[in-house]
Amino acid sequence: MWPFWWKGASGFSAHSTAEQVTHGIDGTALTAIITGASSGIGEETTRVLALRGVHVVMAVRNTDSGNQVREKILKDTPQAKIDVMKLDLSSMASVRSFASEFKSLDLPLNLLINNAGIMACPYTLSSDNIELQFATNHLGHFLLTNLLLDTMKKTANESNTEGRIVILSSEGHRYAYREGIRFDKINDETSYNTLQAYGQSKLCNILHATELARQFKEQGVNITVNSLHPGSIMTNLLRYHSFINTLGNAVGKYVLKSSPQGAATTCYAALHPQAKGVSGEYLMDNNISSPNSQGKDTDLAKKLWEFSLSLTGEEEL
């Protein structure tokens, strides 16, 4: 992360907030889906996009929590357009159900923000018998994105407006397993490492964006897709590591980003005119940055794409 005060080419820095990077932007013609929208930076992203006029669909595991956030936002922004829908990214059945329900609403879809995630949890298998961090952070979002692409393409064509997909990754991708993605050991409990498995899933997020951006360019699709590191933020992601959580609560206000700062790069990628036409990039602190060498490996990205298709049972785009 750059020093808080350092401003990149965009004119924004790590200190910039989501409201600051979207100041003066009118999003009233746009519809967005935000996963993990009921807490942390997902909640702040929802609030700011709604403040700018975007119709936000909150895709959340707990709809009660989602509705509480919705009501809180509406108190401050009565004109906000927000819907709450149930989505459990660790379950492919839930992802398919969400996509089907959303399509039945016949809404446009301009922005897809794959924000939700879990971090460094104990070894667990999803309902589909896939390691939980890989299943939730990557595979669920991979399937969701594929199921919604036709809607996004239709919206982009009919509105003549660029669609944008934003995938939240992390600098944690640098601490994945040595081989990056362990295709033959995704469910290997004996060698499972909580933080390396997290890094693996975040590397997958970057590679997902890289390959999808390549396909869009090849097909001439008017949709961009970028991944990003939101910054180091004190959220409930660290609930599985009590010592780190306690330390973060003690010193976090001095060295970590706030939620408004943490949501800034997402909102910048989703709404700012400077991001128009930018695709296949890795962003940090509201500027274009660079992942590690594995994050730039196009062959690895293609291999992950095929592997993900096989796990989800989806056909090639």
Side-chain angles (χ1 to χ4, degrees), residues 1 4 14 230-234 252 255-259 261-262 265 285:
M1 190 193 313
F4 267 30
S232 299
I233 306 145
M234 202 63 221
V255 298
L256 301 179
K257 285 186 177 184
S258 64
S259 287
Q261 291 165 339
T265 305
D285 299 336

Side-chain angles (χ1 to χ4, degrees), residues 271-291:
L271 288 185
H272 204 284
Q274 288 179 0
K276 181 177 175 60
V278 175
S279 194
E281 298 289 353
Y282 176 69
L283 309 179
M284 180 167 61
D285 299 336
N286 307 292
N287 286 276
I288 294 176
S289 187
S290 182

Side-chain angles (χ1 to χ4, degrees), residues 35 89 113-118 133-143 145 165-173 176 180-181 197-213 225-230 237 280-283 291 294-296 300-301 304-305 308:
T35 68
L89 285 159
I113 300 177
N114 292 335
N115 165 83
I118 57 173
Q133 293 192 81
F134 181 86
T136 303
N137 296 349
H138 167 63
L139 201 61
H141 280 127
F142 176 87
L143 177 59
T145 302
I165 299 172
V166 182
I167 303 175
L168 270 72
S169 179
S170 168
E171 281 290 89
H173 81 275
I181 302 170
Y198 174 72
Q200 173 180 251
S201 71
K202 295 289 99 180
L203 174 61
C204 289
N205 293 147
I206 295 172
L207 295 173
H208 179 201
T210 298
E211 174 60 13
L212 191 54
V225 52
N226 295 289
S227 59
L228 64 87
H229 171 57
L237 273 178
E281 298 289 353
Y282 176 69
L283 309 179
Q294 290 174 325
K296 300 175 184 178
L300 186 61
L304 173 65
W305 185 274
S308 303

Side-chain angles (χ1 to χ4, degrees), residues 41-216:
I41 59 178
E43 177 180 345
E44 178 66 3
T45 302
T46 298
R47 185 187 72 82
V48 172
L49 261 60
L51 180 67
R52 302 306 180 212
V54 178
H55 179 184
V56 177
V57 176
M58 299 174 64
V60 297
R61 279 191 305 170
N62 188 323
T63 53
D64 288 339
S65 296
N67 281 311
Q68 288 174 14
V69 169
R70 177 181 181 273
E71 292 305 315
K72 183 167 67 173
I73 294 173
L74 286 172
K75 284 183 180 179
D76 293 331
T77 311
Q79 73 275 18
K81 294 177 288 184
I82 304 174
D83 293 312
V84 178
M85 294 176 60
K86 185 173 180 58
L87 171 64
D88 179 356
L89 285 159
S90 71
S91 163
M92 285 190 267
S94 177
V95 173
R96 294 183 190 281
S97 177
F98 172 89
S100 177
E101 184 179 351
F102 178 81
K103 289 177 182 178
S104 73
L105 299 175
D106 201 27
L107 290 171
L109 181 58
N110 307 91
L111 310 172
L112 175 59
I113 300 177
N114 292 335
N115 165 83
I118 57 173
M119 179 180 180
C121 61
Y123 180 82
T124 311
L125 293 179
S126 71
S127 58
D128 301 298
N129 292 315
I130 299 169
E131 189 275 311
L132 193 60
Q133 293 192 81
F134 181 86
T136 303
N137 296 349
H138 167 63
L139 201 61
H141 280 127
F142 176 87
L143 177 59
L144 177 68
T145 302
N146 276 6
L147 293 174
L148 295 174
L149 277 183
D150 284 346
T151 302
M152 290 200 74
K153 290 175 181 178
K154 180 182 177 184
T155 301
N157 287 335
E158 293 181 351
S159 65
N160 197 30
T161 301
E162 177 184 86
R164 296 186 185 182
I165 299 172
V166 182
I167 303 175
L168 270 72
S169 179
S170 168
E171 281 290 89
H173 81 275
R174 301 181 189 275
Y175 307 103
Y177 296 106
R178 180 183 56 80
E179 60 269 53
I181 302 170
R182 306 192 313 171
F183 294 102
D184 58 342
K185 295 182 179 179
I186 288 294
N187 288 350
D188 187 0
E189 183 176 4
T190 59
S191 59
Y192 177 80
N193 178 282
T194 59
L195 291 172
Q196 288 180 304
Y198 174 72
Q200 173 180 251
S201 71
K202 295 289 99 180
L203 174 61
C204 289
N205 293 147
I206 295 172
L207 295 173
H208 179 201
T210 298
E211 174 60 13
L212 191 54
R214 185 196 68 78
Q215 293 186 24
F216 284 163

